[in-house]
Amino acid sequence: MARSAPARTRRPPSRTRGTTATRRAASARRAAAARRARARARRRAWRLTAIIALPTIALALVVAGMLGLFAGFGAGGSSRDGDAPASAEYTREQRDNAAIIVSAGRDLGLSARDQTIAVMTAMGESSLRNLDYGDWETSGVTNPDGTRTTSIGLFQQQDGWGTRDERLDPYTAAVLFYRAMVARVPDRDGREPTEVAHRTQINRDRDHYAPYWPRAVALVAALDGDDDGVDY
């Protein structure tokens, strides 16, 4: 009786190639996912940094602006801390008008302090500009009796000070101021500059001119080429 041939055991088909490819694909997916996660983390970090940094930058800009505001003053402004700008910070018109005021005081034989008080007064009245208008035109200011003010010129002098042409001539306007100062404040050397100007101009605020005194001292000194200026 013929024997049947022994049955051959079949080996399952190899899955090595398929398994390797699957692992590689999974690894690639994990790597891509990791890269996307890192990218998202970087974007979140940048957004957080921007959120924190922007207010800080804005605050720094504000502080810098405020420091710049208080560090210097434009021509014709006031300086309460005593720091005065150099002559070059004034316009040519302002420097020329200050020089005319000083010249008029010298011609009258008045002291450097008197001349500086006059420059200070013109700073406080017109910012050293020869204006052909005054408080009535700009602010509707009236006299105590209700009439319109007629102030014009460097010293913003009203009709009672002289003719319109006299008040609009810088030299003549300065002479008018000096004469009034000598007559109204004979003891001015013992008074504060702002009080001297107040008594001469007869304005409402005694301390109105005080902020301009350091600036006037510096400007007159610059015009004279004297770094020390006048005494306070």
Side-chain angles (χ1 to χ4, degrees), residues 81-102:
D81 59 5
D83 293 332
S87 175
E89 294 189 35
Y90 294 93
T91 66
R92 179 63 180 271
E93 176 195 4
Q94 290 171 311
R95 294 195 302 272
D96 287 349
N97 286 331
I100 291 172
I101 293 170
V102 169

Side-chain angles (χ1 to χ4, degrees), residues 209-225:
Y209 305 98
Y212 303 97
W213 177 246
R215 298 173 65 84
V217 170
L219 180 55
V220 172
L223 293 174
D224 289 342

Side-chain angles (χ1 to χ4, degrees), residues 113-150:
R113 185 175 189 267
D114 287 343
Q115 297 164 26
T116 308
I117 289 174
V119 171
M120 172 195 72
T121 305
M123 283 180 171
E125 293 290 351
S126 66
S127 296
L128 286 173
R129 293 176 296 152
N130 195 26
L131 305 176
D132 62 355
Y133 58 87
D135 291 338
W136 169 256
E137 288 79 6
T138 59
S139 307
V141 176
T142 60
N143 293 308
D145 62 1
T147 59
R148 296 182 179 182
T149 54
T150 55

